[in-house]
Amino acid sequence: MSEKSAELEEFRDFFKKVRPLYLIDHAGRAGNGFFQTLFDEHPEVLSIPWIHYCTSYFITEFGDTEEVDSRKAQAFWTKTSYFRFFYHELSDADHELVYRFGGNPETAIDRRKVRAIFDQLILSKDSVSAKEVIFASYFAIAKALGRKMEEIKFLILTDSISLRTENVFSGFSGRVIEHAIKDSPNAKFIHLVRDPRAGFASSNHQFVNQLGNMYALDSFHIFAKVKDLIDCRLSMSGPFVFAFWILYFIQTFRAIENKKSQKPGLFLTVWNEDLNLRFKPTMKKLSQNLQISYNANWDQPDYLPTMLGHEWKGTGGYSNRYQTKNSGPLQNDPDEISSKVTGPNSYVTERWKKRLSKNELYLLEYFFRHEIETYGYDFTSDAPLINNEASIWMRMLFPLQGEIPHLNWLLHGFRQSPTEFAKRLTYYLVLPIFYPLGRLVFLMNKRTRRILFDGPLNS
């Protein structure tokens, strides 16, 4: 038997034997990257922490078609998906992205071997399924990394409940889950959960800084942003960061709970707080549930996760390493803290309490009350007990974190460049317009009210 024939036969065995382990982090802040790194060195689990969103990428591009043209699939997958990090030499932009993930872009990878194996498996047929493309990706990487293929039982696929083609107002279908089940009836699913107040604080922090300010304003697009706000075009790119992330968290929670009610027993729920505060017993229980061995590395006194064999440097909305902008209205964690909280720790479970004002906590606990109750978290206020819209209006009158930046933010812009100074000065000048307008749209628009006050879980 030739080497190529033997490899093809090995892939067939891999395709039949290995089960996908889908990790669904419904709002995207429960630590899916962290979870992948925990299994980076587990012999029975193929975890490639540089890769995310395989299934959603594929169905966004090709829909629910069972098979697609192999050449089109190969071209898309190797250029657009995260698999490109392994198929091609890293571009400058991808080098930076891997670094932001907390990875080591200089990790030794035999990309020539990855290309040869992947292309042989995919281009030898006229059409391929999503599962074949995804499994061929992981198989090629595992072979290039020298993994013992016969030991692998699971490969981890992280994904979201939302698709890029969907929006927060129409809600999220959870098609990823349906597609995954259709492709792999033997798939296992983990729902990764985190306190929504912590998740929100992280998302809000990151995007206020990333977009420059709470309303994504600059001195060149003021009227366009006003129109977007009036038309209630809330999205990850603005114009009212705080409002969008509240809506997103509510809608993704509804989507995942809808799927869990339709398919009881499908998901194994894992709390991010358990991974950080009760690490060893949580990993022992998880190993038992998955029927895999308990990794001895997890017993190390100062266990640190790895990413493709290198110490993981962490990622997250508060990290200077991950943030694309480090001089935003909200202050990131100091580097000496970010570098010390990559392994299981209590700090990441408590940080949000100092990142939110009392008014924000009140609002979040009202809007997220069902999620907080469903996943067993404690409330800090009586917000859930007061179904009084007037109290919500009153709390919204106060400034939100990062909404009125300290003057040092303006001075820092002056030191950066005249253009940046002009953008930041403009923000202060037009804030009296956006401040009340944002609140009126958020609380009065029919589309937002349906989600905030009239939704099926808000009865």
Side-chain angles (χ1 to χ4, degrees):
M1 182 182 292
S2 68
E3 183 179 344
K4 287 187 177 180
S5 297
E7 209 157 64
L8 183 59
E9 188 64 30
E10 188 178 18
F11 175 67
R12 287 174 182 154
D13 291 340
F14 177 84
F15 189 80
K16 291 178 182 178
K17 181 192 73 172
V18 176
R19 302 173 67 181
L21 177 61
Y22 281 90
L23 182 67
I24 306 296
D25 174 358
H26 67 272
R29 290 290 155 161
N32 57 71
F34 170 55
F35 187 94
Q36 287 187 89
T37 63
L38 300 179
F39 289 91
D40 184 60
E41 296 182 318
H42 197 295
E44 296 171 83
V45 180
L46 181 54
S47 177
I48 310 294
W50 289 9
I51 297 182
H52 305 263
Y53 310 118
C54 285
T55 303
S56 58
Y57 262 61
F58 197 92
I59 64 177
T60 298
E61 179 69 13
F62 297 111
D64 293 316
T65 306
E66 287 192 12
E67 292 202 344
V68 300
D69 180 272
S70 60
R71 293 193 176 276
K72 290 182 179 178
Q74 189 269 357
F76 168 75
W77 202 247
T78 58
K79 293 177 183 176
T80 305
S81 79
Y82 288 87
F83 178 58
R84 69 183 186 274
F85 297 153
F86 298 89
Y87 189 89
H88 299 289
E89 298 301 321
L90 294 178
S91 65
D92 290 344
D94 287 342
H95 188 284
E96 180 182 348
L97 187 54
V98 169
Y99 177 83
R100 288 177 59 207
F101 286 164
N104 180 0
E106 305 302 327
T107 299
I109 298 167
D110 188 347
R111 291 181 171 84
R112 181 181 295 181
K113 187 170 185 177
V114 172
R115 288 191 292 269
I117 294 174
F118 181 77
D119 287 349
Q120 176 200 348
L121 296 175
I122 298 303
L123 298 178
S124 61
K125 303 175 62 178
D126 292 332
S127 61
V128 289
S129 67
K131 182 178 178 179
E132 286 176 302
V133 171
I134 295 169
F135 270 59
S137 305
Y138 277 72
F139 178 82
I141 295 169
K143 292 289 288 184
L145 294 177
R147 291 291 300 269
K148 295 180 180 179
M149 308 301 290
E150 68 278 4
E151 295 183 4
I152 298 172
K153 295 180 180 179
F154 289 100
L155 63 82
I156 295 181
L157 298 175
T158 70
D159 227 310
S160 172
I161 199 72
S162 62
L163 294 174
R164 287 174 292 165
T165 53
E166 299 172 331
N167 67 73
V168 73
F169 296 107
S170 60
F172 305 113
S173 64
R175 282 171 58 201
V176 165
I177 295 169
E178 300 297 336
H179 193 99
I181 295 172
K182 183 179 69 175
D183 263 5
S184 302
N186 69 337
K188 297 282 286 184
F189 290 83
I190 288 179
H191 179 206
L192 197 58
V193 167
R194 185 186 185 190
D195 190 314
R197 293 162 294 190
F200 173 88
S202 175
S203 294
N204 189 67
H205 180 101
Q206 177 188 334
F207 280 82
V208 166
N209 285 347
Q210 187 171 304
L211 298 174
N213 51 69
M214 179 67 74
Y215 296 93
L217 293 174
D218 58 43
S219 53
F220 306 108
H221 304 99
I222 300 299
F223 294 108
K225 293 296 182 183
V226 169
K227 188 175 187 308
D228 284 346
L229 195 51
I230 292 173
D231 293 340
C232 198
R233 293 178 182 170
L234 304 179
S235 70
M236 289 186 186
S237 57
F240 191 4
V241 175
F242 182 89
F244 170 78
W245 285 109
I246 285 181
L247 298 172
Y248 184 80
F249 271 70
I250 292 173
Q251 292 288 64
T252 54
F253 166 67
R254 289 175 179 170
I256 190 66
E257 287 304 305
N258 182 46
K259 286 301 173 187
K260 291 173 85 170
S261 67
Q262 290 175 2
K263 303 179 185 299
L266 179 67
F267 284 91
L268 174 66
T269 303
V270 176
W271 280 258
N272 176 276
E273 290 81 5
D274 284 343
L275 290 172
N276 278 287
L277 301 177
R278 295 167 285 278
F279 179 66
K280 291 180 183 179
T282 300
M283 297 307 291
K284 286 179 180 178
K285 183 178 179 181
L286 184 57
S287 299
Q288 291 170 358
N289 285 327
L290 296 176
Q291 296 182 329
I292 58 175
S293 61
Y294 180 81
N295 195 335
N297 289 340
W298 296 330
D299 279 331
Q300 295 174 6
D302 297 311
Y303 167 73
L304 291 175
T306 59
M307 183 172 270
L308 299 185
H310 295 271
E311 182 184 324
W312 182 52
K313 300 299 183 181
T315 187
Y318 304 104
S319 167
N320 285 319
R321 182 181 179 117
Y322 181 74
Q323 281 276 10
T324 55
K325 295 181 180 179
N326 299 328
S327 63
L330 295 171
Q331 187 174 3
N332 291 335
D333 279 342
D335 291 341
E336 57 269 23
I337 290 180
S338 295
S339 63
K340 293 178 180 178
V341 293
T342 58
N345 68 94
S346 61
Y347 175 76
V348 296
T349 69
E350 298 287 333
R351 173 172 49 193
W352 61 272
K353 296 177 182 178
K354 296 182 180 179
R355 295 284 182 168
L356 299 168
S357 68
K358 288 184 178 180
N359 281 305
E360 286 174 316
L361 270 175
Y362 183 98
L363 292 167
L364 296 182
E365 292 189 358
Y366 176 78
F367 290 126
F368 297 161
R369 63 192 183 279
H370 297 292
E371 183 168 355
I372 292 170
E373 289 173 340
T374 298
Y375 301 143
Y377 295 106
D378 295 325
F379 292 97
T380 64
S381 71
D382 59 357
L385 304 178
I386 303 176
N387 195 354
N388 182 350
E389 196 173 329
S391 65
I392 301 299
W393 274 99
M394 182 184 71
R395 300 286 178 167
M396 284 293 293
L397 292 177
F398 292 91
L400 306 168
Q401 293 294 303
E403 189 171 21
I404 304 178
H406 193 278
L407 284 177
N408 284 340
W409 177 71
L410 181 63
L411 296 175
H412 195 279
F414 178 78
R415 290 193 290 268
Q416 282 185 294
S417 70
T419 301
E420 186 61 28
F421 176 71
K423 289 180 181 179
R424 297 187 180 193
L425 180 60
T426 300
Y427 177 79
Y428 283 112
L429 295 175
V430 300
L431 184 59
I433 297 172
F434 282 83
Y435 192 103
L437 182 59
R439 285 156 173 77
L440 286 169
V441 170
F442 179 53
L443 295 176
M444 294 297 292
N445 185 276
K446 289 182 179 179
R447 293 195 295 169
T448 59
R449 287 187 63 81
R450 178 180 57 81
I451 298 170
L452 297 175
F453 302 111
D454 304 323
L457 290 180
N458 279 9
S459 57

